[in-house]
Amino acid sequence: MGCVLLQVARPAPAAAHNYLVSSTPSDGAVLDTAPSEVTLEFNGPVGQKFATVVVAGADGTTFQSGAPRVVGGTVTQRLRPIAEAGTYRVAWRVVSSDGHPISGTFEFRLRTGDATAGDGTPSPESATSPSGTVSAPSTAPSGATSARQAAERRSDGAGAGWLLAGGAAVAVLAAGAVVVVRRRSGTRDV
Protein backbone atom coordinates (compact mmCIF):
# COMPACT_ATOMS: atom_id res chain seq x y z
CA MET A 1 0.00 0.00 0.00
CA GLY A 2 2.91 2.34 0.76
CA CYS A 3 4.32 1.80 -2.75
CA VAL A 4 0.97 2.69 -4.30
CA LEU A 5 0.78 5.83 -2.17
CA LEU A 6 4.29 6.84 -3.21
CA GLN A 7 3.40 6.38 -6.88
CA VAL A 8 0.24 8.47 -6.52
CA ALA A 9 1.81 11.15 -4.32
CA ARG A 10 4.90 11.55 -6.48
CA PRO A 11 4.85 15.03 -8.08
CA ALA A 12 4.43 15.11 -11.84
CA PRO A 13 7.41 16.47 -13.77
CA ALA A 14 7.22 20.22 -14.33
CA ALA A 15 8.34 19.75 -17.93
CA ALA A 16 4.74 18.92 -18.88
CA HIS A 17 3.56 22.45 -18.11
CA ASN A 18 3.82 25.23 -20.60
CA TYR A 19 5.99 28.14 -19.57
CA LEU A 20 6.31 31.79 -20.54
CA VAL A 21 9.11 32.27 -23.07
CA SER A 22 8.84 36.03 -23.62
CA SER A 23 6.57 39.02 -23.22
CA THR A 24 6.11 42.38 -24.87
CA PRO A 25 6.77 44.55 -22.95
CA SER A 26 9.32 42.43 -21.14
CA ASP A 27 9.72 42.08 -17.39
CA GLY A 28 11.47 45.20 -16.08
CA ALA A 29 11.25 47.13 -19.36
CA VAL A 30 11.35 50.93 -19.15
CA LEU A 31 9.12 52.41 -21.86
CA ASP A 32 8.93 55.91 -23.32
CA THR A 33 5.44 55.33 -24.78
CA ALA A 34 2.53 53.37 -23.36
CA PRO A 35 1.89 49.97 -24.93
CA SER A 36 -1.40 49.42 -26.75
CA GLU A 37 -1.29 45.72 -25.91
CA VAL A 38 0.56 43.09 -23.90
CA THR A 39 1.73 39.94 -25.70
CA LEU A 40 2.74 36.73 -23.95
CA GLU A 41 4.60 33.99 -25.83
CA PHE A 42 4.51 30.45 -24.36
CA ASN A 43 6.60 27.43 -25.36
CA GLY A 44 3.51 25.71 -26.79
CA PRO A 45 -0.22 26.14 -27.32
CA VAL A 46 -2.31 27.18 -24.32
CA GLY A 47 -6.05 26.81 -23.77
CA GLN A 48 -8.28 29.45 -25.29
CA LYS A 49 -10.77 29.31 -22.42
CA PHE A 50 -10.01 30.85 -19.06
CA ALA A 51 -7.04 32.95 -20.27
CA THR A 52 -6.75 36.10 -18.15
CA VAL A 53 -4.36 39.05 -18.40
CA VAL A 54 -4.71 42.01 -16.00
CA VAL A 55 -2.58 45.16 -16.29
CA ALA A 56 -2.80 47.36 -13.19
CA GLY A 57 -1.21 50.60 -12.06
CA ALA A 58 0.08 51.32 -8.55
CA ASP A 59 -3.35 52.64 -7.52
CA GLY A 60 -5.11 49.45 -8.65
CA THR A 61 -6.60 50.88 -11.83
CA THR A 62 -6.73 48.24 -14.56
CA PHE A 63 -6.18 48.92 -18.26
CA GLN A 64 -7.19 45.81 -20.19
CA SER A 65 -9.75 46.25 -22.95
CA GLY A 66 -11.90 43.21 -23.73
CA ALA A 67 -10.87 39.59 -23.43
CA PRO A 68 -7.39 38.33 -24.33
CA ARG A 69 -6.92 36.75 -27.77
CA VAL A 70 -5.26 33.30 -27.77
CA VAL A 71 -3.66 31.90 -30.92
CA GLY A 72 -1.58 28.79 -30.30
CA GLY A 73 1.06 29.78 -27.76
CA THR A 74 0.48 33.55 -28.11
CA VAL A 75 -1.83 35.49 -25.79
CA THR A 76 -2.53 39.13 -26.67
CA GLN A 77 -4.37 41.55 -24.40
CA ARG A 78 -5.42 44.94 -25.83
CA LEU A 79 -5.10 47.89 -23.45
CA ARG A 80 -6.97 51.12 -22.85
CA PRO A 81 -4.76 54.23 -23.04
CA ILE A 82 -2.34 54.57 -20.12
CA ALA A 83 -1.88 58.26 -19.36
CA GLU A 84 0.41 58.32 -16.33
CA ALA A 85 4.06 57.49 -15.79
CA GLY A 86 4.70 54.76 -13.28
CA THR A 87 5.12 51.05 -12.71
CA TYR A 88 2.50 48.68 -14.11
CA ARG A 89 2.04 45.07 -13.03
CA VAL A 90 0.92 42.40 -15.49
CA ALA A 91 -0.73 39.34 -13.93
CA TRP A 92 -1.56 36.44 -16.22
CA ARG A 93 -3.19 33.03 -15.91
CA VAL A 94 -3.69 30.47 -18.67
CA VAL A 95 -4.44 26.77 -18.93
CA SER A 96 -1.38 24.80 -19.97
CA SER A 97 -1.63 22.27 -22.80
CA ASP A 98 -1.58 19.51 -20.14
CA GLY A 99 -4.74 20.97 -18.57
CA HIS A 100 -3.13 22.58 -15.52
CA PRO A 101 -3.52 26.29 -14.82
CA ILE A 102 -0.29 28.29 -14.77
CA SER A 103 0.13 31.91 -13.77
CA GLY A 104 2.70 34.58 -13.21
CA THR A 105 3.38 38.28 -12.92
CA PHE A 106 5.85 40.80 -14.24
CA GLU A 107 6.22 44.57 -14.30
CA PHE A 108 7.14 47.30 -16.73
CA ARG A 109 7.66 50.99 -16.14
CA LEU A 110 6.32 53.87 -18.20
CA ARG A 111 8.76 56.75 -18.00
CA THR A 112 6.43 59.54 -19.14
CA GLY A 113 2.67 59.93 -19.29
CA ASP A 114 0.98 59.55 -22.66
CA ALA A 115 -2.64 60.40 -23.41
CA THR A 116 -2.75 57.79 -26.17
CA ALA A 117 -1.38 54.27 -26.14
CA GLY A 118 1.83 53.88 -28.10
CA ASP A 119 3.60 50.88 -29.53
CA GLY A 120 5.37 49.83 -26.33
CA THR A 121 8.88 50.57 -27.61
CA PRO A 122 11.35 50.47 -24.72
CA SER A 123 13.72 53.31 -24.01
CA PRO A 124 17.42 53.01 -24.96
CA GLU A 125 18.26 52.60 -21.27
CA SER A 126 16.17 49.45 -21.04
CA ALA A 127 18.13 46.24 -20.72
CA THR A 128 15.89 44.49 -23.23
CA SER A 129 16.15 44.03 -26.94
CA PRO A 130 14.85 46.86 -29.18
CA SER A 131 11.49 45.17 -29.61
CA GLY A 132 11.01 44.90 -25.84
CA THR A 133 10.94 41.09 -25.86
CA VAL A 134 13.00 38.65 -23.92
CA SER A 135 14.10 35.58 -25.81
CA ALA A 136 14.27 32.11 -24.34
CA PRO A 137 17.63 31.58 -22.69
CA SER A 138 20.26 29.61 -24.54
CA THR A 139 22.94 28.75 -22.01
CA ALA A 140 22.58 30.65 -18.79
CA PRO A 141 25.63 31.14 -16.60
CA SER A 142 25.59 29.29 -13.28
CA GLY A 143 23.47 31.10 -10.74
CA ALA A 144 21.36 32.75 -13.46
CA THR A 145 17.67 31.94 -13.71
CA SER A 146 16.27 30.81 -17.03
CA ALA A 147 12.86 31.95 -18.25
CA ARG A 148 11.53 28.43 -17.76
CA GLN A 149 12.75 28.21 -14.15
CA ALA A 150 11.26 31.61 -13.39
CA ALA A 151 7.95 30.60 -14.96
CA GLU A 152 7.87 27.36 -12.99
CA ARG A 153 8.65 29.25 -9.79
CA ARG A 154 5.81 31.69 -10.50
CA SER A 155 3.41 29.02 -11.77
CA ASP A 156 0.53 27.88 -9.67
CA GLY A 157 2.09 25.13 -7.52
CA ALA A 158 -1.14 24.00 -5.88
CA GLY A 159 -1.24 20.81 -7.99
CA ALA A 160 1.28 18.91 -5.84
CA GLY A 161 -0.70 19.66 -2.67
CA TRP A 162 -3.92 18.37 -4.22
CA LEU A 163 -2.06 15.32 -5.47
CA LEU A 164 -0.79 14.54 -1.95
CA ALA A 165 -4.23 15.10 -0.43
CA GLY A 166 -5.79 12.81 -3.05
CA GLY A 167 -3.19 10.13 -2.35
CA ALA A 168 -3.90 10.33 1.37
CA ALA A 169 -7.64 10.03 0.70
CA VAL A 170 -7.07 6.94 -1.45
CA ALA A 171 -4.94 5.39 1.31
CA VAL A 172 -7.65 6.03 3.94
CA LEU A 173 -10.35 4.56 1.67
CA ALA A 174 -8.20 1.50 0.95
CA ALA A 175 -7.54 0.95 4.66
CA GLY A 176 -11.27 1.28 5.37
CA ALA A 177 -12.07 -1.26 2.67
CA VAL A 178 -9.60 -3.74 4.19
CA VAL A 179 -11.21 -3.34 7.63
CA VAL A 180 -14.71 -3.88 6.22
CA VAL A 181 -13.65 -6.98 4.28
CA ARG A 182 -11.93 -8.49 7.33
CA ARG A 183 -14.96 -7.84 9.54
CA ARG A 184 -17.32 -9.42 7.01
CA SER A 185 -15.13 -12.47 6.54
CA GLY A 186 -14.75 -12.76 10.34
CA THR A 187 -18.55 -12.83 10.88
CA ARG A 188 -19.02 -15.58 8.28
CA ASP A 189 -16.58 -17.89 10.04
CA VAL A 190 -18.49 -17.68 13.34
Side-chain angles (χ1 to χ4, degrees):
M1 182 179 261
C3 291
V4 171
L5 181 60
L6 286 175
Q7 289 295 324
V8 172
R10 181 176 61 171
H17 293 308
N18 288 88
Y19 58 91
L20 183 65
V21 174
S22 66
S23 65
T24 304
S26 62
D27 187 13
V30 179
L31 309 176
D32 287 327
T33 57
S36 60
E37 64 185 22
V38 170
T39 303
L40 308 172
E41 293 285 339
F42 293 89
N43 67 316
V46 295
Q48 293 188 4
K49 290 185 176 182
F50 310 115
T52 304
V53 179
V54 177
V55 179
D59 64 354
T61 302
T62 59
F63 294 92
Q64 60 276 5
S65 175
R69 186 178 75 241
V70 179
V71 178
T74 303
V75 178
T76 305
Q77 175 65 62
R78 303 249 340 125
L79 302 177
R80 293 182 297 110
I82 299 173
E84 293 184 23
T87 300
Y88 294 87
R89 182 179 193 105
V90 179
W92 56 267
R93 183 176 175 104
V94 297
V95 176
S96 183
S97 59
D98 66 357
H100 292 97
I102 57 172
S103 60
T105 61
F106 64 91
E107 294 180 344
F108 66 89
R109 187 167 65 91
L110 183 58
R111 185 188 311 245
T112 58
D114 186 7
T116 60
D119 62 0
T121 305
S123 69
E125 295 172 14
S126 175
T128 60
S129 65
S131 66
T133 59
V134 175
S135 301
S138 50
T139 53
S142 63
T145 304
S146 72
R148 180 179 179 155
Q149 290 168 331
E152 288 172 0
R153 192 172 51 247
R154 289 187 244 170
S155 293
D156 184 24
W162 283 107
L163 190 58
L164 288 174
V170 168
V172 168
L173 289 175
V178 168
V179 169
V180 169
V181 169
R182 285 190 178 174
R183 284 187 181 172
R184 284 188 181 173
S185 64
T187 57
R188 288 184 192 158
D189 293 338
V190 176

